[in-house]
Amino acid sequence: MPRYLSLVRIQENTIDMASADPGFEQRMGALFEEITKAGVMLDTAGLKPTAESTRITWSDGNLSYTDGPFTETKEVVGGYALMQCKDMAEAIEWGKRFLEVHPKEWLVGLEIREVEEPGA
């Protein structure tokens, strides 16, 4: 079965967990339990803020390093999920359900991409 990587995209400075409604964590936990029991979720995690990260760029044969935060970046990857689904439609359905759990005033997006398997 193909694997799909779901990249959670956020506007880092606009999401505040303290502003989440009281049921948010419970809804998210229930969804994660369901997706894990379904055998779909292989791995998932949130990422630390860009202030604690470094970008490494390769250009013209040279490496350059930029420490965060990256003020010029509007949208960042805030987390990921690695899922095993029968097809892209199923991956999208799980992604839709993940987004619907979030508070309606948050701006959260997903990029879902099939993992290219070695030798495929």
Side-chain angles (χ1 to χ4, degrees):
M1 240 195 316
R3 295 181 302 159
Y4 295 87
L5 182 64
S6 175
L7 300 169
V8 181
R9 299 199 172 272
I10 62 170
Q11 291 184 349
E12 190 171 46
N13 297 324
T14 65
I15 301 286
D16 177 17
M17 287 301 292
S19 72
D21 61 87
F24 171 63
E25 289 185 31
Q26 184 179 5
R27 292 190 311 271
M28 188 63 73
L31 178 63
F32 281 1
E33 183 176 334
E34 180 183 353
I35 193 170
T36 300
K37 282 183 178 178
V40 171
M41 184 68 73
L42 301 177
D43 190 28
T44 187
L47 300 177
K48 291 199 171 198
T50 60
E52 299 178 39
S53 66
T54 299
R55 286 186 179 162
I56 306 172
T57 304
W58 175 256
S59 178
D60 293 326
N62 296 301
L63 291 171
S64 64
Y65 303 85
T66 307
D67 291 331
F70 311 114
T71 56
E72 74 284 356
T73 303
K74 183 174 182 181
E75 187 178 77
V76 299
V77 176
Y80 71 92
L82 183 61
M83 304 178 292
Q84 191 165 28
C85 302
K86 63 183 178 193
D87 55 24
M88 179 63 89
E90 181 184 11
I92 290 171
E93 181 60 29
W94 284 112
K96 180 186 93 166
R97 292 186 58 198
F98 170 79
L99 289 175
E100 290 173 341
V101 166
H102 289 79
K104 65 180 181 178
E105 62 276 4
W106 288 8
L107 178 57
V108 182
L110 291 180
E111 178 180 337
I112 300 174
R113 298 173 66 178
E114 186 171 351
V115 175
E116 189 170 338
E117 302 295 346

